[in-house]
Amino acid sequence: VWTGTTDQLLTQIAVLNANATSFTISTTPLGNITRIAVFSFANTSSVITRNPTPSVAYFNDLSGPAHPPRNATFIDQNTTPHMISGIVSWLAGTSESDIEKYEVWLGSNVTQRVGGRALFAVTATGATQYTTPYFSEIETVGASYLLVYSKYQIYLSANAAVLPIQDLVGPPYAPTALSLTDTDPTRAQVSGVVSWQPPANTSSVSGYQLWFGSNNSRIGDSPLASISGASTTTKTIGPVSIVGRTQLLLYSVTAEGHANPSPAAFTISDMSWPALPPTNVRFQDNNTTPGVVSGLVQWNAPTT
């Protein structure tokens, strides 16, 4: 019976009789040892002949990997209380020799996992840094930390990379009575003055963000306008295209730019001329009195 770090670098720990089928290993520090190898051999005329191919098994240490992940980071992008969105990232363990994957958990404290299962599992690939996919909404009620563990088979590392959850919360109140009267006759384009009423409580409001939207969700990567001042109630916009956009959404925001999750919404009504005129207007006078006409005016309707 031998132990070692590779199939070639082995140290003998026991010699057993031919009928032996088991061997108990007492408490032994593993260090870099990863496997146990069992050879059969013959002892003939004081010459030991060992079969060159052992049966090999890998140690399954109940303590989990010895190398936890490091330097985990996360910035919440969700302004709803007790909900988080974003990406968790971390550095690999100092060695991945005993790591198959990493798992991200919610924790009630720095050692206690909650939720019954990991939020994410990321396979160890030898990289120096890992990230989760972007996640849009994870509820954090009962949890105060994100815990990132390394894992081998079913066993987690004793220690985790620990992240206190900094819940991003916007102002508690949204503006109301959002409206726009379009003054732009161009089709699929709007101009005019957007108006609204400030929230009932503006103590944490430093301004507003105006977005285009659809189905009460923002469209685009940046707002149509950022507006300073909690008491501001109007903003002139346009001309601007509304193709693919059906709403205006107005969010109250803090000085740090954190938005209330429930905006005021307004359905856009496009005040535009028809895109195509009628064609082939024609008239034939049926009145014989000089200077007077009578008859039917006809035309062809627009194609759309």
Side-chain angles (χ1 to χ4, degrees), residues 111-127:
T111 60
Q112 185 63 48
R113 298 184 298 277
V114 297
R117 61 185 179 88
L119 302 177
F120 295 98
V122 178
T123 301
T125 61

Side-chain angles (χ1 to χ4, degrees), residues 144-160:
S144 301
Y145 295 87
L146 287 168
L147 307 176
V148 186
Y149 292 87
S150 52
K151 188 174 186 180
Y152 176 75
Q153 293 187 356
I154 64 172
Y155 305 109
L156 297 175
S157 56
N159 298 313

Side-chain angles (χ1 to χ4, degrees), residues 41-257:
F41 73 93
N43 188 349
T44 305
S45 301
S46 300
V47 176
I48 297 178
T49 304
R50 189 179 69 181
N51 186 296
T53 304
S55 178
V56 177
Y58 294 88
F59 283 113
N60 186 7
D61 183 8
L62 293 181
S63 66
H67 308 96
R70 302 164 293 142
N71 300 352
T73 60
F74 170 72
I75 297 176
D76 184 23
Q77 299 177 22
N78 193 316
T79 57
T80 304
H82 306 299
M83 299 291 289
I84 58 174
S85 301
I87 295 173
V88 182
S89 64
W90 62 91
L91 297 182
T94 53
S95 170
E96 290 190 328
S97 61
D98 58 350
I99 299 174
E100 288 184 341
K101 65 181 67 174
Y102 297 93
E103 287 190 348
V104 180
W105 290 72
L106 291 173
S108 58
N109 56 48
V110 298
T111 60
Q112 185 63 48
R113 298 184 298 277
V114 297
R117 61 185 179 88
L119 302 177
F120 295 98
V122 178
T123 301
T125 61
T128 57
Q129 185 173 4
Y130 294 88
T131 63
T132 64
Y134 177 85
F135 53 91
S136 58
E137 288 190 341
I138 289 179
E139 186 174 338
T140 61
V141 174
S144 301
Y145 295 87
L146 287 168
L147 307 176
V148 186
Y149 292 87
S150 52
K151 188 174 186 180
Y152 176 75
Q153 293 187 356
I154 64 172
Y155 305 109
L156 297 175
S157 56
N159 298 313
V162 177
L163 276 170
I165 295 174
Q166 303 292 335
D167 195 4
L168 174 63
V169 179
Y173 299 100
T176 59
L178 182 65
S179 67
L180 165 69
T181 299
D182 181 24
T183 59
D184 193 325
T186 304
R187 190 178 184 85
Q189 184 170 286
V190 295
S191 297
V193 177
V194 181
S195 63
W196 63 91
Q197 292 298 315
N201 184 327
T202 60
S203 59
S204 61
V205 176
S206 68
Y208 305 92
Q209 287 185 351
L210 182 65
W211 291 74
F212 280 122
S214 180
N215 297 319
N216 293 322
S217 296
R218 291 181 296 193
I219 293 175
D221 298 322
S222 60
L224 174 62
S226 294
I227 303 147
S228 299
S231 60
T232 305
T233 59
T234 61
K235 176 66 178 178
T236 301
I237 64 169
V240 62
S241 171
I242 58 170
V243 174
R245 303 157 173 172
T246 60
Q247 290 177 305
L248 288 173
L249 303 176
L250 185 69
Y251 296 81
S252 56
V253 296
T254 65
E256 297 78 19

